[in-house]
Amino acid sequence: MSGSLNGNSASSGGGATGAGGDDFFDQMLSSLPSPWADLANPKSPWDLTTGANAPGSGEDCGGYDESALLASRLRQHQISGSGSPAGAKPMMLHQMLMSAAGRAPGGGAGAGAGGAGDPSGFFPLPLSLGRDDVEGAFKSPNGTGAEGLFNGYGGGLPGAAQANNQPPFHHAQQGAPMPAQNFGGAAPNAGAQAPAPAASGGGAAAPPRQRVRARRGQATDPHSIAERLRRERIAERMKALQELVPNANKTDKASMLDEIIDYVKFLQLQVKVLSMSRLGGAAAVAPLVANMSSEGQGGSNGAGGSDSSLTVTEQQVAKLMEEDMGSAMQYLQGKGLCLMPISLASAISSATCHPRASASHLGGGPAAAAAHHLILPGPQAQPNSNNHVNPDGPSSPNLSGLTAQSAMANGNADSHKDASSA
Amino acid sequence: MNRKNPLPNSNPNSPNSSMQALHFLQALARIARAAPKPAHSARTRQIRHAAYASMAHSSRSSRRTWSRALLHRLRQWQQQRPGRLLTVRRRVRIVTPITSRPEEPARAETLRQLVPGGRGMEYCNLLEETADYVQCLRAQVQLMQTLLDAFSS
């Protein structure tokens, strides 16, 4: 019996836990009662006399074929469904785990002992075959471990009921790639399909004891596991995308995808529109950027001294500003210039600051304003230029989204709206 | 295993967007300094290319598939434009139809066309690239909008 069990764990072979399972299995076989003693569930049946119970409890040891496996599964399912502990290995195991967790002290033991006590000896074996975390759960059982085991294993612990080619059973975690290698061909699948639907009906699911433990009612063949992994990855990426994209309250995946596509299109369109309206800005930035290293751009320097005529313009603008800000702005726009605070310009040129809230400078005194402002070649004063708005009111035709924002932002010349909240 | 950006970083003061802004501004300066004043449409195109180039060069995205594909696309665009005769040459895309798998939603193909480099990716990676691309796009749009506001105030 130990030989067959060893054979099982050895046959599991290819997975990384196979070798570990061997070691652990030997350990378990050598000291079977001890872990269970820790669980405060000492049982005399916990010995290696499982061979005698093999027929009684169905197929606990190796050497099972599919039909035997199915039969045992169905029987256990029925048994577990009825709640009778007799032969209900999963139930017994569950109870033992629960008791070990301190929930039902003695209850599990009683049930375990009452039922096929010998088969109960098998419980740890299949669980621990090549299962690191099951081992951990056994060694230090806690509520979650027990529940996890219970959920995963459910009734699927027909002793070591595995075909020879079936690898030992262990928990299916999300990222368990190794299970794929350990699955036989159709054998585990057949075992999985039949009990799976039956298990889902019962209180204790009975997936086949294969390398990957599936959730209740789910198949455990490698393809479906890979599929599940892939689906989960896609789902988490979709969730991340949902945070990025506004109006992400759609729960439907298809509509979420539509939303994402629309948003990407919208952003690309915005880039296009913004680039259309930035013609003057490009020219304006040039002197600033050129002077970045020299940091010589000051108010008096105006637009980096690119044009001597600018000084004349400056004087003119200063004069105008004394009279009326609006006319000054109009004059500037007629010349294709715009006014901006120095702080703003330097902020932009340093390209690290978020130029914001400098509009208060606009309201400064004329002389001070002239000193504190740069006169930059602004956007062209054309009817179709949209990147500036007269303080008097928008007089140029607007592109819908873009200038609506600009209008809102500049309509109140004293405060900048947060235009980035597009 | 999860290589996604931990959080959507839309902070304009972060080093990512600073680098992006710097690239963009330098590109704009280059455009402005171009001696022959190009036409409106040409300049628009140049600015748009500058925007995408600065996006692709930002530190966050330099390792991404979409940034490489975007740069490649940009180079093709720039090569095509100068000579009108050259526009006849179509970009031959040798795309095997592996991209359309049965499990994907119907709109996945559209997304592939939108996101640069999306053709050769699996759906899973496509979503990841889309997230990063959207982040960069948003940063770029915010940057341009900010500049726009600054210059039009």
Side-chain angles (χ1 to χ4, degrees):
Chain A
M1 142 79 181
S2 62
S4 63
L5 283 169
N6 270 332
N8 274 340
S9 56
S11 68
S12 70
T17 58
D22 283 336
D23 300 337
F24 181 75
F25 188 77
D26 293 340
Q27 177 185 350
M28 284 302 300
L29 288 178
S30 59
S31 62
L32 252 180
S34 52
W36 290 100
D38 296 342
L39 302 177
N41 209 359
K43 291 169 159 312
S44 54
W46 289 104
D47 54 10
L48 296 177
T49 61
T50 52
N53 299 318
S57 60
E59 303 73 63
D60 288 337
C61 302
Y64 301 126
D65 54 349
E66 293 317 301
S67 58
L69 184 64
L70 284 177
S72 69
R73 295 265 168 73
L74 286 173
R75 183 163 34 99
Q76 284 168 16
H77 168 62
Q78 293 166 1
I79 289 174
S80 61
S82 65
S84 157
K89 296 188 212 42
M91 287 306 282
M92 285 191 288
L93 172 66
H94 169 58
Q95 284 164 357
M96 283 189 304
L97 286 177
M98 303 287 266
S99 65
R103 289 198 220 156
D118 291 336
S120 65
F122 285 104
F123 288 144
L125 301 178
L127 281 180
S128 58
L129 283 177
R131 286 285 332 261
D132 297 336
D133 43 358
V134 175
E135 171 182 8
F138 271 66
K139 294 266 171 69
S140 58
N142 48 8
T144 56
E147 275 178 356
L149 281 175
F150 174 69
N151 286 337
Y153 288 56
L157 303 174
Q162 294 176 7
N164 279 335
N165 59 346
Q166 291 185 8
F169 195 11
H170 67 73
H171 235 291
Q173 296 310 324
Q174 306 305 339
M178 39 186 155
Q181 344 163 3
N182 289 321
F183 286 110
N189 295 347
Q193 304 307 332
S200 52
R209 215 180 24 251
Q210 310 215 341
R211 193 157 275 279
V212 178
R213 181 161 320 257
R215 280 192 286 269
R216 202 178 305 181
Q218 290 189 357
T220 58
D221 58 309
H223 298 294
S224 62
I225 285 178
E227 271 303 308
R228 198 167 64 225
L229 278 177
R230 186 168 169 272
R231 270 196 298 266
E232 280 157 6
R233 272 167 58 183
I234 288 181
E236 82 185 43
R237 307 237 160 123
M238 285 289 285
K239 254 197 319 237
L241 267 175
Q242 248 180 336
E243 297 167 16
L244 279 181
V245 175
N247 298 330
N249 47 4
K250 315 276 191 299
T251 52
D252 181 18
K253 202 174 127 181
S255 60
M256 195 60 223
L257 201 54
D258 286 351
E259 197 68 36
I260 292 170
I261 288 175
D262 287 342
Y263 190 57
V264 170
K265 280 193 204 163
F266 165 71
L267 285 177
Q268 286 176 344
L269 182 63
Q270 259 198 319
V271 169
K272 193 169 179 187
V273 164
L274 281 171
S275 68
M276 273 198 293
S277 59
R278 188 169 300 292
L279 302 182
V285 173
L288 284 178
V289 174
N291 290 334
M292 246 191 323
S293 57
S294 65
E295 65 180 337
Q297 64 283 22
S300 58
N301 200 8
S306 59
D307 194 353
S308 61
S309 66
L310 274 178
T311 48
V312 175
T313 308
E314 283 178 352
Q315 295 161 3
Q316 188 70 11
V317 167
K319 197 160 45 150
L320 276 177
M321 274 198 282
E322 289 169 351
E323 314 167 10
D324 175 20
M325 202 57 199
S327 59
M329 293 297 291
Q330 277 178 348
Y331 173 78
L332 275 180
Q333 284 157 9
K335 288 196 145 303
L337 302 173
C338 78
L339 210 56
M340 87 179 290
I342 291 180
S343 55
L344 199 54
S346 51
I348 290 179
S349 66
S350 63
T352 53
C353 191
H354 192 64
R356 209 28 91 220
S358 309
S360 53
H361 291 277
L362 286 177
H372 287 114
H373 285 66
L374 291 176
I375 298 185
L376 302 168
Q380 309 299 325
Q382 302 165 4
N384 60 350
S385 73
N386 300 312
N387 54 349
H388 67 88
V389 174
N390 290 331
D392 322 301
S395 59
S396 49
N398 302 332
L399 278 182
S400 60
L402 169 64
T403 14
Q405 293 174 15
S406 301
M408 281 193 301
N410 298 316
N412 42 351
D414 299 341
S415 61
H416 276 291
K417 227 174 72 69
D418 187 3
S420 57
S421 62
Chain B
M1 183 191 84
N2 192 2
R3 302 180 296 120
K4 297 199 65 56
N5 285 329
L7 43 82
N9 186 9
S10 59
N11 178 17
N13 292 333
S14 71
N16 282 334
S17 52
S18 299
M19 203 167 129
Q20 195 170 333
L22 185 60
H23 279 297
F24 185 56
L25 287 170
Q26 286 174 343
L28 279 184
R30 269 198 304 269
I31 293 174
R33 272 197 299 263
K37 277 270 189 170
H40 179 102
S41 62
R43 180 162 249 193
T44 298
R45 184 177 45 86
Q46 283 170 349
I47 294 177
R48 203 168 101 236
H49 290 353
Y52 283 125
S54 69
M55 267 176 59
H57 280 124
S58 83
S59 60
R60 175 177 59 211
S61 62
S62 55
R63 267 164 273 125
R64 288 286 182 172
T65 310
W66 68 261
S67 74
R68 286 193 292 271
L70 183 57
L71 286 178
H72 186 64
R73 223 190 249 185
L74 274 178
R75 270 194 288 272
Q76 283 178 328
W77 285 343
Q78 283 161 5
Q79 285 167 10
Q80 271 186 345
R81 254 332 251 237
R84 265 295 175 178
L85 304 168
L86 295 177
T87 55
V88 182
R89 174 189 63 201
R90 302 302 305 163
R91 278 180 290 161
V92 179
R93 310 194 85 146
I94 305 175
V95 177
T96 59
I98 61 170
T99 57
S100 48
R101 299 178 59 185
E103 304 91 40
E104 291 173 354
R107 303 275 273 167
E109 183 60 33
T110 318
L111 194 57
R112 288 180 195 277
Q113 289 168 4
L114 283 178
V115 175
R119 289 292 178 92
M121 290 188 233
E122 303 171 344
Y123 186 61
C124 196
N125 297 334
L126 179 67
L127 288 181
E128 193 174 346
E129 297 282 330
T130 304
D132 200 66
Y133 184 57
V134 162
Q135 262 185 282
C136 261
L137 261 183
R138 273 222 317 219
Q140 183 67 35
V141 166
Q142 282 175 3
L143 170 69
M144 292 172 85
Q145 189 70 57
T146 302
L147 284 176
L148 196 60
D149 286 344
F151 282 119
S152 60
S153 63

